[in-house]
Amino acid sequence: MGATIVTTVAIAFDGSTFVDISDHVTRTTISYGRGRLLDEFSSGSARITYDNRDNSLTPGHSDSTYGNTQLISRQVRISTAVTGGSDSYSTYLFRGFVTDLDYIAEQNTSTVTITVTDGFDRLGKARFTAENFSSAEKCGTRVARVLSLSSVDYPDEASPLDRDIDTGEVETPVANPVTDNALDYIQQLTRTENGRFLINHGGAASSTNFGGVLSWYSQNSSTTDRGISFSDAKSLGTGSVQMTGLTLEYGSELLFNSYAFTASTGDLRTGTDTASITKFGERVVTRTLLCDNTATTNAGVYYLGLYSEPSLRISSVTTDVDAMTAADAEKCLHMNVMSGLTLSYLPPGSSTTLTGAYLVEGVNYDITIKDMATNASRIRATYATSAADTTGYWRLGDPVLSVLPTVLAPG
């Protein structure tokens, strides 16, 4: 018997009071984070399928309950509660704003697909002009400074708990004046740091902070340990949950053997791995970094150390959350980007189980209704992963996972 998970979808139609519309929702999909280690984090989104046969969401209709209020830009919260679990509060899976509604009316059915996006959409529209960064500071400190600018103010100066900003390792120099798009500038700082910047809607929610809305992690920052081990074994050990699918990749997605990085001084720093180029041909990564020449060269050397050889990698793991025990289901629903997990896989025909520590890079939920009377849900979760040593590789036949040390980047 699996866990009973009740999913709640609520919209603040009047701008402040959240209305539970779960009894009309038949399916919800959520996606945020990134698919691969070197991808940029992009705006997270949710798509909610709403049964509109009573016209309750039809704008201007006489039967409309919600359609005659403002719909676009209203806040949406999607949360879950595990029956019999230990949490004293709902776990928020996603928080965002309505950006679009698509109505499909047929002879006997009517549905509305509600599209919700997270705060990246707002940051992508924010700009600052002629801003003076008059002192050298670590990348994470500069990120926090940008978020606090009056023209950005994200998420809200009144809600400091919605930020989790690492200080960072790499120093970015004085810059006067700077005019830029807020998100573009922050992502350039993130590339400089080889870090992670995301609007993070999963996680262990509390009554005041709905899931850690904003997170920034510096290079080599510690992971968030959730105590979850995914396994393909038919008989599971203590603390393990069953994975229904595992995606392995081997190819050139994470293969670079030459770098051309431009420092904040305008100087171009280059380097190559000759042995890798001889085998695979030259594959160049180019970046403009907000740091000095030395740090830029170190970043290039770091790249070659990580990505000059292709390896088998686990790119994602899939599991049915509602098939777990209540305790394990809660742990999975608390997982978010940068959560730690262990993956164990026995390749067909092999006697050696591969086991490694991984990080979550992206989260996808497909939520459908199991019981309309109680809103009990079927939840299939897919977590995009990278190796906990930041390489994103799994060495074939080597249960140690990788030959590279955990802390490789220059300090």
Side-chain angles (χ1 to χ4, degrees), residues 172-184:
T172 190
V174 171
N176 296 321
V178 178
T179 297
D180 209 338
N181 172 274
L183 183 57
D184 289 346

Side-chain angles (χ1 to χ4, degrees), residues 130-252:
E131 191 64 39
N132 292 320
F133 300 109
S134 54
S135 62
E137 54 197 349
K138 297 300 176 83
C139 286
T141 303
R142 182 70 59 86
V143 168
R145 192 179 301 279
V146 171
L147 293 168
S148 297
L149 294 174
S150 58
S151 58
V152 181
D153 190 23
Y154 189 87
D156 185 337
E157 62 182 7
S159 302
L161 292 179
D162 281 351
R163 294 185 188 175
D164 182 13
I165 307 292
D166 261 12
T167 301
E169 299 287 339
V170 179
E171 189 168 275
T172 190
V174 171
N176 296 321
V178 178
T179 297
D180 209 338
N181 172 274
L183 183 57
D184 289 346
Y185 189 73
I186 289 172
Q187 288 183 330
Q188 192 172 8
L189 287 167
T190 304
R191 289 191 293 271
T192 300
E193 178 67 36
N194 192 41
R196 292 170 170 86
F197 175 74
L198 64 144
I199 309 297
N200 196 342
H201 290 278
S206 71
S207 58
T208 58
N209 180 21
F210 300 118
V213 172
L214 182 68
S215 298
W216 191 84
Y217 299 93
S218 66
Q219 62 184 9
N220 300 322
S221 61
S222 60
T223 65
T224 303
D225 184 11
R226 298 295 175 187
I228 284 284
S229 178
F230 291 89
S231 175
D232 67 334
K234 291 181 173 60
S235 178
L236 298 176
T238 302
S240 293
V241 296
Q242 182 71 48
M243 56 187 177
T244 58
L246 185 71
T247 303
L248 301 172
E249 290 183 352
Y250 182 89
S252 58

Side-chain angles (χ1 to χ4, degrees), residues 23-80:
D23 59 349
H24 282 68
V25 174
T26 59
R27 185 181 183 187
T28 303
T29 58
I30 298 170
S31 178
Y32 68 90
R34 61 184 177 183
R36 290 193 177 96
L37 187 63
L38 297 185
D39 293 346
E40 293 281 12
F41 285 102
S42 58
S43 180
S45 64
R47 291 173 64 84
I48 301 163
T49 303
Y50 182 95
D51 185 344
N52 194 43
R53 284 177 292 180
D54 59 1
N55 288 302
S56 57
L57 200 59
T58 304
H61 195 280
S62 59
D63 294 334
S64 181
T65 306
Y66 313 121
N68 294 323
T69 62
Q70 179 178 330
L71 297 174
I72 303 301
S73 296
R74 289 312 194 197
Q75 191 174 166
V76 178
R77 294 175 183 169
I78 303 170
S79 62
T80 56

Side-chain angles (χ1 to χ4, degrees), residues 87 89 91 202-205 226 329-336 339:
D87 283 348
Y89 46 79
T91 296
R226 298 295 175 187
E330 280 188 336
K331 288 182 180 180
C332 278
L333 294 171
H334 289 175
M335 288 179 64
N336 55 65
S339 290

Side-chain angles (χ1 to χ4, degrees), residues 36 38 249-256 283 307 313 393:
R36 290 193 177 96
L38 297 185
E249 290 183 352
Y250 182 89
S252 58
E253 296 91 347
L254 298 180
L255 174 60
F256 295 100
R283 300 180 61 86
Y307 306 120
R313 62 184 292 266
Y393 292 152

Side-chain angles (χ1 to χ4, degrees), residues 359-401:
L359 299 181
V360 175
E361 296 287 342
V363 177
N364 290 270
Y365 292 112
D366 190 348
I367 305 171
T368 54
I369 297 301
K370 181 188 294 185
D371 184 343
M372 291 291 289
T374 63
N375 289 332
S377 307
R378 290 187 175 92
I379 301 182
R380 171 157 288 193
T382 299
Y383 305 104
T385 57
S386 67
D389 65 358
T390 75
T391 64
Y393 292 152
W394 194 337
R395 302 289 179 181
L396 181 62
D398 182 2
V400 179
L401 188 70

